[in-house]
Amino acid sequence: MPLPRPLRFLPALTVLACAPQPPSTGTPQARPPVELAAPAGDEWYRHAVFYEIFVRSFQDSNGDGKGDLPGLISRLDYLNDGDPGTTTDLGVDALWLMPVFDSPSYHGYDVVDYERIHPDYGTVEDFERLCAEAHRRGMRVILDLVLNHSSSQHPWFVESASSRTSAKRDWYQWSDTDPGWRQPWDLFSKGATWHERNGAYYYGVFWGGMPDLNLKTPAVREEVKRIASFWLGKGADGFRLDAARYLIETGGGLSGQADTPETHAFWKELAAHVRSVKPDAVLVGENWTTTPLIATYYGSTARVPGGDELPLNFNFPLAEELLEAARTGDAADVTVKLAEMRSHYPAGVADAPFLTNHDQVRVATQLGGKAGSLATAASLLLTLPGSPFLYYGEELGMANGTTPNDEAKRTPMAWDASAGAGFTTGTPWFSFSPGAEHTHVAAQVNTPGSLLSRYRELIRARHASPALERGGLKLLTPTQGRAPTLAFLRTVGDERVLVVHNLADVALTAGPFELEGDSSEVLFADPSVGSPLRNGGGWSVTLPGRSTGIWRLR
């Protein structure tokens, strides 16, 4: 769900790295390096590359202008054709489908039937076929599961609102008077959260059309677990959990409406249930907040490696800094954010980095469509630890639409230069984004140096290196002062991979980095990136502006 961006959080602790920056930036006093441990456990999702899809905008199969599941199935080979010997597919490991359940809205975040696919998208049988075809190609599929609220048209709510003595009255929260709570994500919000119906008030933190489910009621919790089991049985490999911070309220105000102990307790309960049904299924939390609070949603690592609550949580603060670094050519705040993660995240958890998603203005628009900035953003995202998420069209440099509403962030995918852009033979449900006539798959798929080619090559480099795919990180760039280059070492077992990004628009030399090894093997390098040179006790490398080099050290 769209939420206002939180205030930028300034960490209380800054840890300095011991390796120097390029000579022009000076050499700070050596201190312990920032290190992030490799994700614990061997579950697939701890190192997968995910791809977020709005089904309505991906591929139409029947000419009605709306994307659907059969259309998505027809495009699976673009995402991953299952053949590691080919290079024309993107190579992602998993798909996240935005809501596909029956709903009265275009976006689907107000569900009226949790066991029925939206008629625009197809049927449950189509979903089962999608999972089978994705699995055959080596991809997993996770569903957007909206548990914080339902639609006000859901039969549960209709029954709950019908009478004070309804059997489902306590499936939602009701009050005889308006308690006056405001929306907890904005200190100055005037948005009401209690809404009148039949002489009483019900709680709906987003708006009246989305009443919050009352997960304090045991019957609701059991029904939610049953629904999760249903979709796992149909082939789903896990769930993305919308508005995960706002599940169970204990009173008004931020402390009572967000991040409550009861919310954490329920996520642990659901996680244990999901593991009992499908041990390798994943839960991904949308917790749009600060790093210390996001860290709490992993839960305890004492009993379950990687945490007993939500094993993946979107890293909103890091996403903001990655885009800022790509925009400004300065990675200083990225290094500070990595240090902050080291201070707060439990050791061994898997991060879920991303650039933007369906609630945010697209990357290409935020970065002004600048090729160098878009290349930098891709390189940063796909070389960091954890499980990166890509938003559909991001790999093409797809721009935002021109309207101010959320539909403009979710415009149809452009596949070619035809009238319907290869998306539909009819009239698209929403206009294509500006530049779709040349920013499309066909224009980039066979073009070396295109943004799509860059994403494919970086994902393949990631899959070719256990250290890149599932290793830890040792930061080589200081967390103090300007950082036109960003360097780190990715390690797992005996493999050590040096990653160096030049974010500036001009050539720079990075290093020397005091690392072991006598030779280097290139895993990815932009044109004109020099090989790392060993001079005395350290490695140095010269890179053109806006370029990246990745080498295995031996």
Side-chain angles (χ1 to χ4, degrees):
M1 291 299 300
L3 300 174
R5 297 175 76 171
L7 297 175
R8 287 169 67 98
F9 177 76
L10 298 179
L13 177 64
T14 297
V15 184
L16 294 181
C18 64
Q21 283 185 310
S24 60
T25 62
T27 303
Q29 183 179 0
R31 297 189 185 183
V34 172
E35 296 191 54
L36 300 176
D42 57 2
E43 292 88 351
W44 63 271
Y45 54 78
R46 298 193 189 280
H47 52 80
V49 178
F50 286 79
Y51 189 88
E52 179 189 0
I53 294 174
F54 185 38
V55 172
R56 184 172 295 267
S57 284
F58 203 65
Q59 180 63 60
D60 172 23
S61 71
N62 59 11
D64 67 356
K66 302 167 188 174
D68 46 46
L69 294 178
L72 171 55
I73 292 170
S74 74
R75 293 293 189 179
L76 287 180
D77 282 349
Y78 165 77
L79 300 167
N80 191 326
D81 63 11
D83 182 354
T86 60
T87 60
T88 54
D89 59 323
L90 190 57
V92 298
D93 304 296
L95 310 179
W96 155 27
L97 307 187
M98 287 172 61
V100 295
F101 304 145
D102 197 5
S103 165
S105 69
Y106 87 94
H107 54 72
Y109 282 99
D110 47 348
V111 177
V112 296
D113 189 338
Y114 285 94
E115 294 179 65
R116 184 180 184 224
I117 296 293
H118 195 298
D120 287 345
Y121 297 160
T123 65
V124 172
E125 290 72 27
D126 289 327
F127 176 76
E128 290 180 292
R129 186 162 65 92
L130 168 67
C131 289
E133 289 296 325
H135 293 163
R136 186 170 65 81
R137 291 166 171 82
M139 288 185 288
R140 312 291 181 120
V141 180
I142 69 171
L143 287 169
D144 219 318
L145 186 59
V146 186
L147 301 181
N148 179 73
H149 52 266
S150 73
S151 168
S152 59
Q153 299 177 38
H154 196 294
W156 299 341
F157 182 75
V158 173
E159 181 177 341
S160 181
S162 66
S163 167
R164 293 172 185 266
T165 60
S166 164
K168 285 189 168 56
R169 187 68 168 183
D170 64 353
W171 282 45
Y172 298 84
Q173 295 190 71
W174 291 91
S175 172
D176 289 336
T177 59
D178 181 355
W181 304 357
R182 299 302 176 187
Q183 292 172 320
W185 49 80
D186 187 345
L187 297 177
F188 307 103
S189 171
K190 296 182 180 179
T193 62
W194 289 86
H195 314 276
E196 194 274 335
R197 178 71 64 93
N198 297 336
Y201 293 84
Y202 64 91
Y203 182 69
V205 71
F206 290 103
W207 71 293
M210 293 178 174
D212 278 38
L213 286 162
N214 183 7
L215 284 151
K216 289 179 283 191
T217 299
V220 178
R221 294 201 301 274
E222 292 308 308
E223 180 66 5
V224 162
K225 288 188 282 190
R226 187 192 67 78
I227 289 167
S229 297
F230 175 84
W231 288 108
L232 293 173
K234 297 297 181 184
D237 298 291
F239 306 100
R240 179 264 188 185
L241 303 167
D242 184 67
R245 300 178 60 205
Y246 307 107
L247 214 62
I248 299 179
E249 299 76 25
T250 57
L254 185 61
S255 63
Q257 290 173 268
D259 309 310
T260 61
E262 291 79 1
T263 293
H264 285 283
F266 173 77
W267 287 134
K268 290 183 180 181
E269 180 182 341
L270 180 65
H273 171 77
V274 167
R275 287 195 303 270
S276 73
V277 176
K278 197 168 192 175
D280 68 344
V282 66
L283 297 176
V284 189
E286 183 209 24
N287 303 293
W288 197 335
T289 183
T290 60
T291 301
L293 279 174
I294 293 172
T296 65
Y297 280 88
Y298 285 99
S300 171
T301 58
R303 292 188 300 109
V304 179
D308 62 354
E309 199 164 327
L310 305 181
L312 290 179
N313 290 277
F314 291 117
N315 197 331
F316 284 90
L318 181 61
E320 181 178 349
E321 302 305 352
L322 294 178
L323 287 182
E324 186 69 9
R327 181 184 300 110
T328 64
D330 183 3
D333 288 342
V334 174
T335 68
V336 172
K337 193 57 61 178
L338 293 172
E340 186 186 8
M341 290 165 56
R342 172 63 183 87
S343 299
H344 293 283
Y345 277 28
V349 301
D351 190 27
F354 68 102
L355 296 174
T356 61
N357 65 23
H358 60 278
D359 285 329
Q360 299 167 306
V361 173
R362 282 186 171 273
V363 173
T365 299
Q366 290 198 46
L367 298 183
K370 295 180 180 178
S373 297
L374 290 170
T376 295
S379 299
L380 292 173
L381 174 66
L382 290 169
T383 54
L384 288 170
S387 303
F389 280 72
L390 316 179
Y391 186 36
Y392 80 95
E394 196 164 84
E395 73 277 15
L396 304 175
M398 184 171 158
N400 226 62
T402 56
T403 62
N405 52 13
D406 282 339
E407 288 92 328
K409 304 166 185 174
R410 308 163 188 176
T411 59
M413 183 82 163
W415 297 95
D416 58 39
S418 65
F423 165 70
T424 183
T425 57
T427 301
W429 75 273
F430 197 79
S431 299
F432 293 98
S433 59
E437 65 276 6
H438 53 77
T439 303
H440 52 72
V441 173
Q444 298 189 35
V445 68
N446 294 315
T447 304
S450 69
L451 187 61
L452 174 58
S453 293
R454 183 179 199 82
Y455 271 92
R456 291 186 310 203
E457 290 166 12
L458 284 165
I459 291 171
R460 278 179 170 73
R462 189 178 180 93
H463 289 335
S465 165
L468 270 182
E469 189 174 53
R470 64 189 71 194
L473 178 146
K474 179 179 180 180
L475 187 60
L476 304 175
T477 300
T479 58
Q480 195 172 61
R482 195 169 180 280
T485 64
L486 178 66
F488 43 83
L489 190 71
R490 300 292 311 280
T491 59
V492 67
D494 295 331
E495 187 185 24
R496 294 171 304 112
V497 173
L498 173 64
V499 179
V500 185
H501 303 288
N502 179 5
L503 285 72
D505 293 322
V506 298
L508 290 175
T509 297
F513 307 116
E514 296 183 2
L515 303 170
E516 295 180 359
D518 299 315
S519 63
S520 63
E521 173 194 353
V522 64
L523 298 176
F524 175 92
D526 281 310
S528 301
V529 171
S531 298
L533 299 177
R534 181 126 179 127
N535 297 314
W539 292 90
S540 297
V541 60
T542 299
L543 305 95
R546 297 289 181 174
S547 65
T548 290
I550 306 172
W551 301 271
R552 182 181 287 119
L553 301 182
R554 299 186 184 280

